[in-house]
């Protein structure tokens, strides 16, 4: 009887504590979390509406052509069409998504979906339709953010919303340059939210859908596979086999629905050929800030030095940066890099994380592990787009509120990754937009983190600083808030100098000489910041108990 009373008291105490937490998290004025998120999304949407007339990249015509392609041609011809240079190279679910959008595009303006007469069509009707289609598809992102943050306290929840919903990088890439990254990242966040809740089957199902929308997210597939194998497929031999078959059936069903029609038409090889055009160069047209920047610069430097020393060095004519399919990347001195080499390097960089996932498959760490996987893919992958930094920056926003060190790391990373996207908006009219977006968001991030950690981490940071002998930790403990340290501050100041050089000093001092230098400096210097982030994440994952 006494044991039952004790148990009842514990249950009652737990219920009281949960009610207290709910009261603490309840927003004054009976405003719910969903209503508050709607306010955040509304502010972001107002900014996006103002940006409708701004610069549009070739990606705008790419997606317009895909609307016309999927609307005008039968499914059996989608991956064979060459009416435009911008052939369909996304997985089938994204093609179905374009086909769905084309129904409404045809109602707005029939020329939008005209395969031949609509080439390079840029009337207001198509501009407004495509811009608004990206905004509407962002509902998926908002839902993903909500699912991942609904159980957090209000302060952390709002901070994550600031970092993701108001992300300047997402606004620059999706709503100025033009793409659908927010929509796709929403699927990633939804998948991660299910995994953090322990609903592994749903998490695997949503991730499989994401892969059938955009295959570049497959970099995290090894982490998903090991995690689900160890966390979901457990509980005895028979039970494990049953769960493995269940997960395989669910994931396989998604791929069957996506690729089944093309399998029926005998077109799988053509679809895969379009999805994986390995004939493209090692780097994209603008060098993404990753490891290969240093490799290419080293090759060019060695070629220059050896030529000066009298060696016969043949400079290859092919480009490293071809956006269309062509010759692979040659080198003058260093060994040629192939897609297989980059694949092996990504797996090698990812292996410490996979070992950690195998040993301790914890739901609370899955978002961090997936972000690390995308960082590895960005650094060492083949023909990486600079926009792929969103794949790890957005998930790390969820992790950033967990500790002061995570916040410091994210503060630097978010600035570096967003700045690395500046060359995408190269016209003068958009210069003030991208600068203001980055500065305002950096200020909001600084204030938000400082407010969050000013009271809750003073003692713990002081103890950590004394334990590790870190002066930085002691300074943070004494002042409170977000203190990024002198090394990070110096790095950001040099980043400011890189921008001043590219915008003003280069033309003033060198004129038309070395026109590639400003972009090269951005790639190299931002690559240092991304490399630092990779090392920091790897160190944290290895040391995390």
């Amino acid at each position: 009887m006494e044991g039952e009373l004790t148990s009842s008291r514990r249950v009652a105490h737990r219920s009281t504590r949960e009610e207290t937490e709910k009261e603490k998290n309840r927003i004054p004025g009976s405003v719910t979390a969903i209503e508050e998120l709607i306010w955040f999304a509304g502010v972001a949407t107002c900014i996006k509406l103002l940006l409708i007339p701004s610069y549009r990249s070739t990606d705008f015509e790419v997606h317009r052509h895909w609307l016309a392609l999927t609307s005008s041609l039968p499914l059996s011809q989608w991956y064979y069409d060459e009416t435009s240079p911008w052939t369909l190279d996304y997985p089938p679910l994204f093609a179905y998504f374009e086909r769905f959008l084309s129904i409404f595009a045809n109602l707005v303006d029939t020329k939008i979906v005209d395969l031949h007469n609509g080439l390079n069509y840029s009337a207001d009707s198509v501009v407004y339709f495509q811009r608004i289609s990206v905004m509407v598809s962002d509902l998926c992102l908002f839902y993903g953010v909500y699912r991942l943050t609904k159980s957090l306290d209000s302060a952390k929840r709002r901070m994550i919303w600031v970092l993701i919903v108001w992300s300047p990088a997402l606004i620059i890439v999706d709503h100025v340059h033009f793409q659908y990254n927010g929509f796709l990242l929403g699927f990633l966040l939804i998948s991660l939210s299910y995994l953090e809740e322990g609903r592994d089957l749903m998490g695997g199902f949503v991730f499989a859908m994401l892969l059938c929308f955009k295959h570049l997210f497959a970099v995290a597939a090894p982490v998903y596979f090991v995690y689900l194998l160890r966390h979901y497929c457990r509980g005895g031999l028979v039970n494990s086999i049953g769960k493995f078959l269940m997960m395989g059936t669910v994931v396989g069903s998604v791929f069957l629905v996506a690729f089944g029609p093309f399998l029926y038409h005998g077109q799988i090889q053509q679809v895969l050929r379009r999805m994986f055009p390995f004939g493209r160069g090692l780097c994209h047209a603008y060098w993404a800030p990753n490891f290969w920047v240093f490799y290419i610069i080293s090759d060019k430097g060695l070629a220059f030095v050896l030529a000066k020393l009298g060696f016969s060095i043949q400079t290859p004519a092919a480009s490293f940066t071809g956006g269309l399919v062509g010759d692979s990347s040659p080198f003058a001195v260093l060994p040629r890099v192939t897609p297989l080499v980059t694949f092996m390097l990504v797996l090698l960089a990812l292996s410490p994380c996979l070992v950690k996932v195998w040993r301790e498959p914890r739901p609370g760490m899955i978002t961090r592990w997936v972000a690390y996987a995308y960082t590895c893919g960005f650094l060492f992958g083949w023909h990486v787009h600079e926009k792929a930094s969103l794949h790890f920056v957005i998930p790390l926003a969820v992790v950033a509120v967990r500790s002061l060190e995570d916040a410091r790391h994210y503060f630097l990373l978010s600035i570096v990754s967003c700045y690395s996207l500046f060359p995408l908006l190269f016209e003068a009219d958009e210069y003030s937009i991208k600068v203001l977006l980055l500065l305002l968001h950096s200020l909001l991030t600084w204030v938000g983190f400082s407010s969050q950690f000013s009271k809750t981490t003073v003692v713990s940071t002081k103890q950590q600083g004394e334990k590790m002998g870190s002066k930085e930790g002691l300074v943070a403990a004494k002042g409170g808030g977000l203190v990024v340290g002198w090394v990070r501050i110096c790095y950001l100041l040099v980043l400011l100098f890189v921008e001043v050089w590219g915008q003003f000093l280069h033309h003033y001092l060198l004129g038309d000489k070395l026109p590639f230098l400003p972009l090269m400096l951005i790639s190299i210097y931002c690559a240092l910041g991304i490399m630092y982030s990779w090392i920091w994440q790897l160190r944290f994952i290895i040391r995390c108990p």
Side-chain angles (χ1 to χ4, degrees):
M1 179 67 69
E2 183 178 352
E4 293 178 356
L5 289 174
T6 304
S7 177
S8 299
R9 292 192 190 100
R10 289 177 179 173
V11 172
H13 176 70
R14 188 183 301 113
S15 301
T16 304
R17 186 174 57 188
E18 290 175 355
E19 290 298 324
T20 303
E21 290 296 324
K22 290 180 180 179
E23 288 295 329
K24 289 180 180 178
N25 295 336
R26 188 168 295 160
I27 301 167
S30 299
V31 178
T32 65
I34 294 179
E35 291 172 333
E36 192 175 41
L37 178 58
I38 290 174
W39 181 86
F40 274 83
V43 172
T45 303
C46 289
I47 296 174
K48 297 168 187 176
L49 287 170
L50 294 174
L51 295 174
I52 286 179
S54 59
Y55 163 79
R56 304 182 302 275
S57 72
T58 54
D59 281 333
F60 186 87
E61 170 59 18
V62 170
H63 288 279
R64 189 219 57 81
H65 177 66
W66 290 358
L67 289 175
L69 183 157
T70 55
S71 175
S72 304
L73 297 176
L75 181 144
S76 60
Q77 298 181 28
W78 286 0
Y79 286 92
Y80 282 96
D81 177 73
E82 294 183 354
T83 307
S84 165
W86 313 117
T87 53
L88 181 60
D89 57 5
Y90 274 29
L93 279 191
F94 200 92
Y96 302 153
F97 172 68
E98 294 279 8
R99 179 66 183 92
F100 173 74
L101 291 180
S102 71
I103 298 173
F104 302 97
N106 187 52
L107 297 176
V108 172
D109 186 345
T110 56
K111 195 173 180 179
I112 297 176
V113 294
D114 191 312
L115 187 61
H116 299 283
N117 297 325
L119 290 175
N120 299 310
Y121 187 47
S122 58
D124 288 345
S125 58
V126 65
V127 172
Y128 277 86
F129 174 79
Q130 290 198 215
R131 291 288 197 195
I132 292 174
S133 72
V134 179
M135 297 179 206
V136 174
S137 69
D138 276 348
L139 291 172
C140 185
L141 175 70
F142 302 150
Y143 178 66
V145 172
Y146 170 74
R147 278 200 56 86
L148 261 177
T149 59
K150 63 182 180 179
S151 61
L152 299 177
D153 64 72
S154 57
K156 291 182 178 179
R157 187 170 60 232
R158 292 190 196 108
M159 192 66 224
I160 293 174
W161 292 350
V162 168
L163 298 180
I164 297 180
V165 178
W166 291 352
S167 168
L170 261 179
I171 292 176
I172 287 173
V173 173
D174 278 12
H175 302 280
V176 182
H177 186 269
F178 193 85
Q179 272 194 346
Y180 290 89
N181 289 284
F183 165 67
L184 298 170
L185 287 166
F187 276 92
L188 178 63
L189 297 183
I190 293 170
S191 173
L192 292 173
S193 70
Y194 280 121
L195 295 184
E196 288 196 359
E197 293 173 1
R199 300 173 64 182
D200 294 343
L201 195 62
M202 281 298 299
F205 169 75
V206 176
F207 184 69
M209 290 185 62
L210 175 61
L211 297 187
C212 292
F213 271 105
K214 191 170 184 179
H215 52 299
L216 298 182
F217 283 93
V219 177
V223 172
Y224 267 82
F225 178 79
V226 175
Y227 177 81
L228 293 174
L229 185 65
R230 291 285 291 162
H231 189 263
Y232 178 71
C233 303
R234 58 181 178 179
L237 180 61
V238 176
N239 194 32
S240 297
I241 294 176
K243 288 185 175 181
F244 182 82
L245 293 175
M246 176 64 72
M247 181 63 72
T249 301
V250 169
V251 172
S253 298
V254 175
F255 280 87
L256 184 61
V257 169
F259 289 88
F262 301 95
L263 180 65
Y264 174 78
H265 290 289
Q267 298 179 357
I268 289 299
Q269 288 187 348
Q270 176 64 16
V271 173
L272 295 178
R273 192 178 298 116
R274 283 284 182 86
M275 288 171 54
F276 300 99
F278 289 122
R280 291 179 177 179
L282 174 63
C283 295
H284 194 235
Y286 157 61
W287 293 354
N290 61 12
F291 171 78
W292 301 117
V293 169
F294 304 116
Y295 193 83
I296 295 172
I297 292 299
S298 299
D299 179 77
K300 292 184 179 296
L302 286 172
F304 176 80
V305 171
L306 292 176
K308 289 294 184 181
L309 293 176
F311 291 91
S312 178
I313 302 296
Q314 183 177 1
T315 304
S319 172
F320 289 97
T321 60
L324 299 176
V325 177
D327 294 333
S328 297
S329 306
F331 290 89
V333 179
L334 296 178
R336 177 173 174 266
V337 178
T338 64
L340 179 61
V341 170
T342 60
F343 176 76
M344 297 304 296
L345 278 177
V346 171
L347 279 184
L348 180 63
L350 191 53
S351 57
C353 179
L354 296 178
V355 172
K356 198 76 174 181
V357 177
W358 178 267
R359 290 178 176 176
E360 302 176 73
R362 291 185 289 167
M365 288 289 291
I366 187 61
T367 301
R368 191 187 297 273
W369 290 331
V370 168
Y372 174 75
Y374 288 126
T375 308
C376 294
F378 183 86
L379 275 179
F380 304 108
W382 176 267
H383 197 75
V384 174
H385 291 237
E386 61 281 356
K387 295 161 284 192
S389 61
L390 291 169
H391 294 182
F392 56 89
V393 172
I394 295 301
L396 282 174
V398 181
V399 176
V401 300
R402 297 180 182 178
S403 70
L404 180 58
E405 281 304 311
D406 281 312
R408 288 170 175 164
H409 165 251
Y410 186 83
F411 180 75
L412 178 68
L413 175 64
S414 62
I415 293 176
V416 172
S417 63
C418 183
Y419 178 70
S420 71
L421 300 173
F422 272 24
L424 293 177
L425 308 185
F426 52 85
E427 294 186 351
D429 291 343
E430 279 71 40
Y431 184 75
S432 59
I433 294 174
K434 61 187 181 183
V435 171
L436 284 174
L437 284 174
L438 178 56
L439 290 179
L440 287 174
H441 194 263
S442 299
L443 179 61
L444 283 173
T445 303
W446 176 278
V447 172
F449 280 144
S450 296
S451 175
Q452 179 183 351
F453 293 107
S454 60
K455 298 179 181 180
T456 60
T457 61
V458 171
V459 177
S460 61
T461 309
K462 182 176 180 180
Q463 292 172 348
Q464 182 181 2
E466 292 173 346
K467 182 178 179 180
M468 301 180 64
S470 169
K471 293 182 180 180
E472 181 181 2
L474 292 172
V475 171
K478 184 176 180 179
L482 184 68
V483 179
V484 297
W486 286 107
V487 175
R488 296 183 180 96
I489 290 176
C490 290
Y491 177 86
L492 292 176
L493 289 175
V494 177
L495 194 71
L496 177 62
F497 172 78
V498 169
E499 177 63 11
V500 172
W501 172 269
Q503 292 297 321
F504 307 105
L505 297 181
H506 180 87
H507 181 73
Y508 179 75
L509 297 176
L510 299 180
D512 296 331
K513 297 179 180 179
L514 304 177
F516 60 87
L517 185 59
L519 283 178
M520 188 178 72
L521 287 178
I522 293 176
S523 294
I524 293 173
Y525 198 68
C526 289
L528 290 173
I530 303 296
M531 288 288 290
Y532 156 77
S533 173
W534 172 67
I535 294 171
W536 189 94
Q537 292 180 63
L538 177 60
R539 179 174 173 268
F540 190 99
I541 288 172
I542 292 175
R543 289 191 173 190
C544 186

